[in-house]
Amino acid sequence: MSKKPTPHTPAAPVTDAAERPATLPGRLTGAAALTALEGLALAGLGLYMLFVGIAGHPDSPQQAETGGITLLGLAALPLIAARGLRLGRRWSRGPALITQLMALPVAWTLWNTGGAMRIAAVALALAAVAVAALLVNPTATRALGIGPGDQAR
């Protein structure tokens, strides 16, 4: 049996070195972690609502199932943004900031319901403000290649 020579194919696609920073600043890693935590919380709440809609006895099963599916869909935005931030992708800053802007009215609504929801409201508002502050920090914007002299990637 003779072995035929195979053409050399690279194991991984070649990427531009400028596209991925060597190390991400802690601010960007923190923003990615908090954004992922928000996405996971949304996904968990969505799964809970879907489960209650299917297996539980809610007042309106259809409303619970629809709410659960909606929350699962909404959870995709912060989770994708968090992954992009973790990889140092420039495009990920926009969806991450949009997530934080959407979280603030939700926190206000939770605050106005009172009771134990106020704890969730404070946690959500603090996380949203912290992530927004981390993302507009000059260290994070430089790491993402966002600035007056930077070209689009």
Side-chain angles (χ1 to χ4, degrees):
M1 292 180 66
S2 66
K3 291 185 178 181
K4 294 182 183 179
T6 59
H8 176 66
T9 56
V14 179
T15 59
D16 185 17
E19 194 173 325
R20 212 179 276 209
T23 59
L24 290 176
R27 289 176 173 90
L28 200 55
T29 302
L34 284 173
T35 302
L37 187 61
E38 290 170 338
L40 290 173
L42 270 174
L45 185 57
L47 287 172
Y48 172 75
M49 285 181 69
L50 194 58
F51 177 76
V52 167
I54 294 171
H57 300 288
D59 294 337
S60 172
Q62 183 180 7
Q63 187 176 11
E65 293 163 7
T66 303
I69 291 170
T70 302
L71 286 178
L72 287 172
L74 286 174
L77 180 67
L79 291 173
I80 291 169
R83 176 151 170 76
L85 289 172
R86 187 67 187 111
L87 295 174
R89 301 292 191 252
R90 180 182 191 161
W91 59 263
S92 61
R93 183 176 176 233
L97 283 172
I98 289 169
T99 299
Q100 306 323 310
L101 291 175
M102 290 185 333
L104 290 173
V106 172
W108 180 254
T109 302
L110 289 173
W111 179 264
N112 288 329
T113 57
M117 287 298 165
R118 288 196 172 188
I119 296 169
V122 169
L124 181 58
L126 287 175
V129 169
V131 172
L134 290 170
L135 289 175
V136 299
N137 185 283
T139 305
T141 56
R142 274 193 304 274
L144 292 173
I146 300 170
D150 295 320
Q151 296 179 359
R153 298 190 218 177

